Amino acid sequence: MAEVEFKGKKFVVDEDGFLEDFNTYTEEWVEFCMKEEGIDTLTEEHWNVINILQDYYKKNGIAPMVRVLSKLTGFKLKHIYELFPSGPGKGACKMAGLPKPTGCV
Amino acid sequence: MAKHETPLLDQLESGPWPSFVSDMKLEAEVRAKNEAGIEFQIPVDVVDDLMGVLELSYVHGRTHWKHGGIVGVFGYGGGVIGRYCDQPEMFPGVAHFHTVRVAQPAGKYYKADYLRQLMDIWQMRGSGMTNMHGSTGDIIFLGTRTEQLEEIFYELTHNLNTDLGGSGSNLRTPADCIGSSRCEFSCYDTNALCHFLTNLYQDELHRPAFPYKFKFKFDGCPNGCVASIARSDMSFIGTWKDDIRIDQEAVQAYIGGEIAPNGGAFKGRDWGAFDIQKEVIDLCPTECMWMEGKELKIDNKECNRCMHCINAMPRALRVGQDTGLSILVGAKAPILDGQQMGSLLAPFVEVNPEDDYAAVTEVIESIWDWWMEEGKNRERLGELIRRAGFQKMLEVTGIKADARHVSEPRCNPYIFWKEDEVPGGWERDVKEYRKHHKR
């Protein structure tokens, strides 16, 4: 486990740069991840995706399926990749502080 | 001198089969000497450390890779399988050991020049070790570090015009048998169809949008050389509608012993002289063959095109000329609810490159529309078919139910009817019933 520091906040992350603990998420985390996720400026749409992911996770204890995320945000998958170049899993979920996707990926 | 002692692995260098241990040692040596002067971008001793960690696993009887791993390249949601060693201090060379799936050409035909260029990239930016090929078909680059992923991807796409394969909840890399490129049994050009659909569905392959993984495989005939019926959610198996073509002279040459049966496949043992009655006619599963004097006869309307007679006498019997393919759906490994092989959905579909295989893509897309909407998280198509019913799949694909859809009719009487099929419908008044039947 590595610890990273950004704007006075400390985050414990795994090798893939995912937060070890969802509860340690703060808005600084998103700013910290931006660059390595290939994002220049954060727009309202980025925050929209992040907030929806967090709400869903808090309510259901899992990340939503891709098509559920599309429905909730109103964004097609293509647009989600425009916002988050590494995609909804490695990009958006990571920035939202959700646990690392698992399974046969 | 090797970096780690590997007494257990060393035993696997004896025996006649090509030893993966000897090959790894050779690669470790090539990297250590580096006669080509390569600027290695990951640790030079990656292969030594891989052998070290493998030896440790042999000793412990346990894996030493951490759980999961999420890495990739921008724009794609899959293609790279991240992996980290759980003993990074002991084996720093394999602290990162990601696998890169590279799209392979249909039929896996290569030129030396192309493979050399692939290996030039991989020797410099990876471990130099590969899997040729993964079970799904991809070229597998085995072991590199996260920082190298975009570099490898840049070189593959810009210099080699080659893309990544698929991983995750998406369309995985399609694969095919060699088809008509080198097989007289092939009922359609598997290479062309596999290549066409791979290109057509690039978006579905690179950006996971499905409830779970989905695989295509293309077999030119029912022999199943790419095992599509067992290893793909949608299996495309070549077949024909007209008669088996018989060359009676060649039949006599088989009977006379001038041509070895099965292309000589059983030459390793003395099975006696070829007996067409015993080895072909009596083994036909539908018993639709017989000899009439010196002529071999086939009652084609009873033939189920199992390939046995054609396999036995390839120079005398050929597949028909009115060819196409059958589509079978739902094959999967046991997790979660048991293994399945493909079930016949479309008995005969036309294969026509002229109209961009419209008959084939129509079935694919109607199935995706349904499964993407109805499939639960991590539910394979085969499991959705079980949950929702085969009937539902026929509805969504617009295929009419016929006897070929079952190996036998159901034996339980729990039969659902649609309301509009039943006179009077479901709305009934119990008072009306009581007028005729007292409580």
Side-chain angles (χ1 to χ4, degrees):
Chain A
M1 292 316 117
E3 195 178 64
V4 295
E5 201 176 326
F6 184 74
K7 290 198 174 169
K9 298 266 165 57
K10 283 181 181 172
F11 304 100
V12 180
V13 299
D14 66 12
E15 292 95 341
D16 293 319
F18 279 74
L19 277 186
E20 277 297 311
D21 180 1
F22 178 64
N23 297 312
T24 60
Y25 168 89
T26 65
E27 291 198 355
E28 285 81 7
W29 170 249
V30 178
E31 275 184 66
F32 171 73
C33 290
M34 277 173 65
K35 200 172 151 253
E36 69 175 31
E37 289 307 320
I39 297 166
D40 294 329
T41 38
L42 288 163
T43 64
E44 208 173 300
E45 292 187 328
H46 287 104
W47 285 110
N48 199 0
V49 174
I50 290 170
N51 291 334
I52 284 170
L53 281 171
Q54 293 186 335
D55 287 348
Y56 192 95
Y57 181 69
K58 283 178 201 158
K59 219 157 107 188
N60 302 292
I62 55 165
M65 290 168 70
V66 169
R67 70 169 191 281
V68 175
L69 182 65
S70 279
K71 272 186 191 154
L72 292 174
T73 55
F75 299 151
K76 290 211 157 80
L77 185 59
K78 185 165 172 275
H79 189 55
I80 295 177
Y81 273 90
E82 284 164 2
L83 295 171
F84 299 93
S86 353
K90 184 181 173 293
C93 280
K94 173 175 164 184
M95 290 176 76
L98 268 57
K100 177 153 78 183
T102 58
C104 187
V105 294
Chain B
M1 181 63 206
K3 188 175 169 192
H4 306 282
E5 294 283 312
T6 55
L8 294 176
L9 277 181
D10 293 348
Q11 293 177 35
L12 299 180
E13 290 197 89
S14 57
W17 293 94
S19 164
F20 73 93
V21 177
S22 300
D23 287 353
M24 282 164 78
K25 286 185 176 175
L26 199 63
E27 173 66 12
E29 198 184 310
V30 166
R31 288 178 76 90
K33 284 188 185 154
N34 192 17
E35 282 168 358
I38 299 165
E39 283 181 50
F40 292 120
Q41 299 294 304
I42 75 164
V44 178
D45 55 3
V46 53
V47 187
D48 302 87
D49 276 354
L50 184 70
M51 286 190 283
V53 74
L54 184 59
E55 178 76 16
L56 191 67
S57 287
Y58 277 30
V59 173
H60 291 163
R62 295 188 301 271
T63 184
H64 280 292
W65 302 109
K66 289 190 189 179
H67 180 74
I70 292 287
V71 291
V73 297
F74 286 151
Y76 290 2
V80 186
I81 319 304
R83 196 66 74 222
Y84 303 95
C85 182
D86 73 0
Q87 304 294 333
E89 287 82 21
M90 219 188 303
F91 307 107
V94 293
H96 291 213
F97 198 72
H98 310 322
T99 292
V100 184
R101 291 187 180 159
V102 179
Q104 85 287 5
K108 303 188 181 79
Y109 288 100
Y110 293 106
K111 285 185 174 177
D113 177 51
Y114 176 76
L115 290 175
R116 249 183 225 117
Q117 291 180 62
L118 270 184
M119 285 309 106
D120 285 346
I121 296 176
W122 189 236
Q123 276 289 17
M124 177 178 173
R125 303 196 176 279
S127 68
M129 283 182 295
T130 64
N131 175 0
M132 296 296 276
H133 300 73
S135 313
T136 299
D138 311 81
I139 299 165
I140 306 277
F141 282 178
L142 211 52
T144 190
R145 295 184 58 87
T146 307
E147 312 81 72
Q148 288 305 310
L149 296 175
E150 290 285 357
E151 313 276 337
I152 292 162
F153 184 53
Y154 182 94
E155 293 201 27
L156 278 177
T157 49
H158 288 72
N159 305 337
L160 278 184
N161 201 19
T162 297
D163 206 342
L164 298 185
S167 72
S169 291
N170 58 7
L171 174 65
R172 300 294 183 86
T173 313
D176 55 354
C177 72
I178 58 167
S180 30
S181 67
R182 276 186 77 97
C183 179
E184 64 271 39
F185 298 163
S186 191
C187 297
Y188 67 98
D189 188 341
T190 56
N191 302 161
L193 182 59
C194 182
H195 185 71
F196 177 84
L197 293 178
T198 304
N199 283 326
L200 182 64
Y201 297 126
Q202 279 291 291
D203 200 32
E204 285 77 5
L205 192 152
H206 291 306
R207 283 168 281 279
F210 291 166
Y212 205 7
K213 64 177 99 167
F214 198 95
K215 298 181 184 181
F216 287 159
K217 279 189 167 50
F218 306 89
D219 277 311
C221 81
N223 280 330
C225 293
V226 72
S228 70
I229 196 172
R231 293 185 191 161
S232 59
D233 298 84
M234 268 186 104
S235 156
F236 304 86
I237 303 179
T239 188
W240 64 95
K241 280 205 286 201
D242 53 349
D243 293 350
I244 290 173
R245 287 172 279 172
I246 308 176
D247 175 347
Q248 297 293 354
E249 254 179 57
V251 172
Q252 286 309 310
Y254 275 104
I255 293 171
E258 290 142 50
I259 311 176
N262 292 82
F266 302 117
K267 274 184 171 163
R269 192 175 145 185
D270 183 11
W271 295 91
F274 177 64
D275 180 344
I276 192 169
Q277 186 67 36
K278 186 172 144 216
E279 294 176 41
V280 179
I281 296 171
D282 290 352
L283 292 180
C284 171
T286 62
E287 299 175 16
C288 69
M289 305 179 81
W290 70 97
M291 291 300 289
E292 219 165 272
K294 287 200 150 193
E295 298 233 306
L296 177 67
K297 297 283 187 186
I298 301 176
D299 182 3
N300 280 279
K301 71 178 197 304
E302 295 300 325
C303 168
N304 65 6
R305 299 169 304 284
C306 77
M307 298 297 295
H308 177 76
C309 60
I310 296 174
N311 287 339
M313 303 192 291
R315 283 169 67 180
L317 300 176
R318 295 167 70 191
V319 301
Q321 287 173 298
D322 189 359
T323 57
L325 54 78
S326 302
I327 299 179
L328 295 85
V329 288
K332 57 178 280 287
I335 292 173
L336 285 168
D337 70 358
Q339 70 270 52
Q340 291 189 40
M341 302 236 285
S343 298
L344 182 65
L345 170 65
F348 190 89
V349 178
E350 191 194 0
V351 181
N352 184 6
E354 302 291 317
D355 68 358
D356 288 344
Y357 306 98
V360 175
T361 54
E362 193 191 321
V363 182
I364 294 170
E365 286 163 28
S366 58
I367 285 190
W368 280 351
D369 283 347
W370 174 54
W371 176 60
M372 284 174 73
E373 198 52 42
E374 297 298 323
K376 291 185 184 178
N377 196 13
R378 297 211 174 138
E379 181 177 52
R380 292 288 285 269
L381 175 64
E383 292 163 341
L384 173 62
I385 294 170
R386 276 199 181 179
R387 180 165 64 83
F390 198 86
Q391 178 64 38
K392 187 70 198 166
M393 190 183 47
L394 293 177
E395 273 172 36
V396 302
T397 51
I399 293 170
K400 214 168 156 257
D402 81 40
R404 291 169 293 183
H405 284 131
V406 293
S407 58
E408 58 190 71
R410 69 193 304 147
C411 58
N412 73 55
Y414 306 122
I415 299 168
F416 285 88
W417 297 85
K418 291 202 174 105
E419 187 170 7
D420 60 10
E421 293 167 334
V422 180
W426 301 151
E427 290 293 323
R428 304 293 167 103
D429 183 2
V430 71
K431 282 184 199 143
E432 186 60 31
Y433 175 82
R434 284 295 163 218
K435 282 183 191 166
H436 311 286
H437 306 278
K438 289 191 181 114
R439 269 191 90 94

